[in-house]
Amino acid sequence: MNKPEKSTPCELCLSRKFSMFSEVGQEHLCNITDSKNFISHKKGQILYYENTKPLGVFCINSGVVKIFKTASNGKEQIIRLAQKGDFVGYTSMIAEEAYTTTATIVEDARICFVPKEVFLKLLSEDNNFHRRLTRSLCHDLGMMEGQLTDATQKSIRERLALALLKLGDSYGVDGGDKQRLDINLTREEIAGIVGTATETVIRLLSEFKKDGLIDLQGKKIMLLNRTGLVRLSDFYG
């Protein structure tokens, strides 16, 4: 079982500039620092389970967390991958509902847990933070609507190309038309992002490699031709 560690004060946290806490005032930052728990998590550990009650908010200091739903056939549908600076679990907490998803550590992570009452106090007293959180909720809703549209209107090949482009935007190293994806995802997890069978993803990745769009180096993926992937994904269609 993970135990809380000595945490860095919020005002000195390097990941805070990537989060919605970036413009929070000193008084509230001190309150969060005094109340939060800072815990290191290993790959594969569960952050929270679907249908359990939220007791607070998780703020990612480092690492990657996947948020997913499990279908009746046992397959995972990955809703999103959260990284440094992201909040996890706050929508269910604000709605006062059980978690509708499960969150698992994809890459070793250091995460702060902020108790519910502390987070809600900040939300009620800091209007700027309230506005930023509202914008984030609206953005997430728009992303989910886009994913639903893609699932019904795009082919699996197009969805895979689009997923690789989005991974490149978030985890790409180098840049330009060539990028190395600096994240270790299994073929099953990529299938969970795309919404298809693992065997289909393996076959399509092999075809993308043959077409010169990507290169495969073990579990790592190198995007060799982003322009070609954009065309294939029908990104502007």
Side-chain angles (χ1 to χ4, degrees), residues 1 14 62 89 105 142 153 170 186 208 215 230:
M1 183 175 179
L14 295 178
S62 65
I105 309 301
Q153 297 184 1
S170 297
T186 65
F208 284 10
D215 190 23
V230 168

Side-chain angles (χ1 to χ4, degrees), residues 16-232:
R16 182 169 66 89
K17 65 180 181 180
F18 301 102
S19 82
M20 284 182 285
F21 284 152
S22 61
E23 297 178 12
V24 170
Q26 185 69 27
E27 180 181 348
H28 285 299
L29 284 180
C30 289
N31 192 28
I32 294 169
T33 297
D34 291 341
S35 306
K36 69 181 181 179
N37 287 326
F38 181 68
I39 303 174
S40 293
H41 298 265
K42 294 295 183 182
K43 178 178 179 178
Q45 290 184 321
I46 302 293
L47 198 59
Y48 62 77
Y49 287 94
E50 186 175 352
N51 295 321
T52 57
K53 182 180 178 182
L55 299 176
V57 174
F58 301 92
C59 183
I60 303 176
N61 182 273
S62 65
V64 180
V65 177
K66 70 175 178 181
I67 293 92
F68 65 94
K69 291 185 71 70
T70 304
S72 57
N73 61 4
K75 291 186 178 295
E76 294 179 2
Q77 176 64 56
I78 296 179
I79 308 301
R80 72 181 179 111
L81 295 173
Q83 58 181 323
K84 178 171 62 177
D86 287 342
F87 288 169
V88 175
Y90 68 96
T91 53
S92 295
M93 187 201 69
I94 292 174
E96 297 187 345
E97 297 176 347
Y99 289 121
T100 58
T101 57
T102 298
T104 303
I105 309 301
V106 174
E107 293 186 351
D108 289 359
R110 293 155 66 85
I111 299 174
C112 290
F113 176 78
V114 181
K116 176 180 179 179
E117 61 274 11
V118 175
F119 189 84
L120 293 180
K121 177 179 172 63
L122 169 63
L123 188 61
S124 66
E125 295 181 358
D126 189 321
N127 291 332
N128 184 49
F129 179 74
H130 189 282
R131 285 192 295 270
R132 296 189 72 184
L133 191 72
T134 301
R135 285 198 300 268
S136 178
L137 284 167
C138 293
H139 173 75
D140 289 347
L141 179 60
M143 291 287 288
M144 292 180 67
E145 291 173 343
Q147 288 175 345
L148 179 60
T149 301
D150 290 341
T152 57
Q153 297 184 1
K154 290 184 182 292
S155 68
I156 296 173
R157 180 182 293 270
E158 290 170 336
R159 296 205 305 269
L160 177 57
L162 182 58
L164 292 175
L165 287 167
K166 289 181 176 179
L167 288 171
D169 290 340
S170 297
Y171 304 99
V173 178
D174 300 328
D177 214 38
K178 296 183 179 181
Q179 286 183 314
R180 176 173 58 83
L181 301 186
D182 190 25
I183 182 172
N184 286 315
L185 293 175
T186 65
R187 299 303 184 248
E188 289 82 4
E189 287 169 333
I190 295 175
I193 294 172
V194 176
T196 189
T198 303
E199 296 78 11
T200 303
V201 162
I202 292 172
R203 175 176 57 81
L204 288 176
L205 287 176
S206 179
E207 291 180 9
F208 284 10
K209 179 179 180 180
K210 183 179 178 180
D211 293 340
L213 296 170
I214 65 172
D215 190 23
L216 303 174
Q217 303 167 349
K219 289 185 179 181
K220 293 287 188 180
I221 298 175
M222 173 77 77
L223 307 187
L224 299 180
N225 185 353
R226 280 186 61 96
T227 302
L229 288 169
V230 168
R231 291 197 199 98
L232 181 57

